[in-house]
Amino acid sequence: MLNRRHALALLGAASFAASCGSNGPDPAAAWRDPGAGIADPRRFALAHAILAPSPHNTQPWLVEFDDALGMTLYCDLERRLPFTDPIDRQITLGLGGFLELYRIAASHLGQFAEITLFPEGAPSPRLDARPIAHVAFSPVVNAAADPLFAYITARRTNRNVYDLERIPNDTLLLRATAQVAGFLGAAQWTVEPTRVAALRDLVWRAFEREMQTEGAQRETYRWLRFGREQVAEHRDGLAIEGPMIGPLKALGFFGEDDLINPNSMASETAARDWRAKAESATGFMWLATPDDRPETRLQAGMAYARLNLAATAFGIAMHPWSQALQEYEEMADLYAEAKRVLEAQDQVVQMLVRVGYAEASAPSARRDADAVLRA
Ligand SMILES: Cc1cc2nc3c(=O)[nH]c(=O)nc-3n(C[C@H](O)[C@H](O)[C@H](O)COP(=O)(O)O)c2cc1C
């Protein structure tokens, strides 16, 4: 018979992964042959764009098709993370990733995507109901498709423990950063042991700080999906998977207060698990921009999507650690430390990720393209 201790240990061991084989609609269906049999280039591009990375897998996109080749992107304002992302910076990055995948998929069909950012003006300080972007397609004769298209369905956020024996080589990382050459800011990396050690320590302490910050934990809890049934029902958020997770949740385990309390056994087990992940980083990459305008954030999100796709092409695993970059009061000292360690005092660090080699991870859940289309 399972007792509480067993149940909580299971939670700690459970990773974020999409479920397969549940009774509901397959939450990973969107990854299999997206766009197959679709003639409308906008729908083809949309089927790929929904595979973009987004903070907490919130999938904050809302789409309207206008004339035959046009698409307007909005933010689904209910899908923001107001505590940990109080200025909507990370949500905007996610929307940038969506636009980049939309553009890359269009290029595969020989369509040029003309993207106008914030056509009705850039919102400040937070996003609002105005459009994020308008995208118009026009056919291009003999256009070269973007080679990153081939990696859209293989791209993952890989949260496994990385192999300490295999360090990504500088040439590959340089080639990955070359994929974001036109981008406003800079993509940088380190595999230098002293610097990597400092960054492992920083990302871990920031993660731990977040675990001790009640508002942040409550917000994350709302995006946790326990077991196959919940993952299949929501098809978003962060899946906590394991053989018994669903049934245990139904029995009343994994309650919010237990997971919010940093001293509970569940939290302590999870903390050990996450620390091992941080300590297995063999390298870090980051994206820094000269300013933090909404347009710059969208471009940083586009750049991050390209970097993640390029890493996929080279077999390199990637996993963002955003806690130290977040703009809430409890994180302020570690935010300042991140800027110092990354030598980015006059810049805005938009993404910080660990890189390395790891076992493949499962695809995360996605809602259907139809669920994000506004009539
Ligand atoms: C702006 C941004 C910030 C993110 N920060 C984190 C993070 O701090 N920790 C983490 O595990 N994943 C982070 N992610 C990854 C998302 O959780 C991930 O993209 C989402 O769960 C979907 O999974 P996928 O990338 O495998 O499709 C971030 C993604 C984005 C776009």
Side-chain angles (χ1 to χ4, degrees):
M1 169 101 178
L2 274 161
N3 62 23
R4 192 165 184 77
R5 175 179 289 266
H6 288 131
L8 295 177
L10 262 179
L11 172 65
S15 56
F16 290 149
S19 70
C20 297
S22 72
N23 295 330
D26 177 0
W31 295 89
R32 280 192 301 276
D33 216 356
I38 298 179
D40 181 337
R42 299 167 310 171
R43 283 193 167 266
F44 180 89
L46 178 60
H48 291 83
I50 58 171
L51 302 178
S54 62
H56 281 12
N57 198 16
T58 46
Q59 305 169 35
W61 30 81
L62 259 182
V63 164
E64 260 175 30
F65 289 150
D66 29 55
D67 55 54
L69 293 172
M71 181 278 276
T72 306
L73 173 67
Y74 296 88
C75 176
D76 184 338
L77 299 171
E78 300 304 313
R79 291 182 165 267
R80 295 179 294 173
L81 301 164
F83 191 97
T84 53
D85 185 28
I87 54 175
D88 295 344
R89 186 182 58 79
Q90 295 183 76
I91 287 292
T92 310
L93 286 165
L95 292 163
F98 176 98
L99 283 171
E100 185 62 14
L101 264 58
Y102 193 84
R103 194 193 63 70
I104 292 173
S107 82
H108 183 75
L109 297 182
Q111 296 284 344
F112 173 74
E114 187 178 346
I115 303 181
T116 309
L117 303 181
F118 300 115
E120 292 177 21
S124 179
R126 298 190 71 198
L127 297 177
D128 59 28
R130 284 177 289 172
I132 301 295
H134 183 263
V135 186
F137 286 166
S138 48
V140 186
V141 181
N142 293 332
D146 193 317
L148 292 180
F149 176 79
Y151 304 101
I152 289 180
T153 56
R155 185 206 59 79
R156 305 274 182 272
T157 295
N158 189 322
R159 300 188 182 88
N160 290 329
V161 170
Y162 290 5
D163 182 352
L164 283 170
E165 304 299 317
R166 289 187 71 197
I167 298 170
N169 85 44
D170 286 309
T171 312
L172 282 189
L173 296 176
L174 177 65
R175 283 173 63 197
T177 62
Q179 287 297 331
V180 300
F183 154 68
L184 179 64
Q188 295 167 68
W189 78 89
T190 184
V191 289
E192 194 275 308
T194 318
R195 218 163 172 212
V196 169
L199 286 167
R200 281 178 187 165
D201 181 53
L202 171 73
V203 297
W204 165 248
R205 281 184 289 123
F207 190 89
E208 193 177 36
R209 178 74 56 82
E210 189 144 307
M211 287 191 83
Q212 291 159 353
T213 305
E214 183 178 336
Q217 289 298 87
R218 290 206 186 277
E219 181 169 273
T220 297
Y221 191 84
R222 280 202 297 282
W223 289 94
L224 295 183
R225 309 290 179 239
F226 293 92
R228 293 178 176 179
E229 296 298 322
Q230 272 198 5
V231 175
E233 182 192 339
H234 294 273
R235 307 174 76 171
D236 61 10
L238 301 166
I240 305 287
E241 265 298 15
M244 292 298 292
I245 297 292
L248 287 168
K249 180 79 172 92
L251 286 172
F253 289 97
F254 316 133
E256 180 168 353
D257 287 336
D258 210 21
L259 297 194
I260 295 317
N261 174 5
N263 302 315
S264 71
M265 192 187 301
S267 296
E268 283 179 1
T269 313
R272 268 199 302 279
D273 200 35
W274 281 88
R275 185 165 194 169
K277 297 176 198 291
E279 287 180 353
S280 75
T282 45
F284 283 89
M285 297 188 93
W286 61 97
L287 285 169
T289 54
D291 64 62
D292 199 22
R293 291 177 307 126
E295 297 89 337
T296 306
R297 294 172 181 174
L298 284 176
Q299 288 181 39
M302 294 172 176
Y304 176 62
R306 295 190 71 77
L307 213 51
N308 199 176
L309 290 170
T312 308
F314 300 134
I316 294 176
M318 189 170 266
H319 174 196
W321 288 73
S322 302
Q323 292 73 28
L325 313 182
Q326 288 169 348
E327 300 89 346
Y328 60 90
E329 200 185 329
E330 292 86 341
M331 198 57 78
D333 57 327
L334 294 174
Y335 182 93
E337 186 178 330
K339 285 194 161 204
R340 273 199 308 278
V341 176
L342 297 170
E343 295 170 11
Q345 267 95 337
D346 303 328
Q347 295 173 300
V348 180
V349 184
Q350 301 282 1
M351 289 300 284
L352 172 62
V353 304
R354 71 173 163 133
V355 291
Y357 291 92
E359 276 181 27
S361 54
S364 56
R366 286 297 186 281
R367 294 173 298 147
D368 285 340
D370 282 343
V372 305
L373 255 183
R374 209 153 71 170

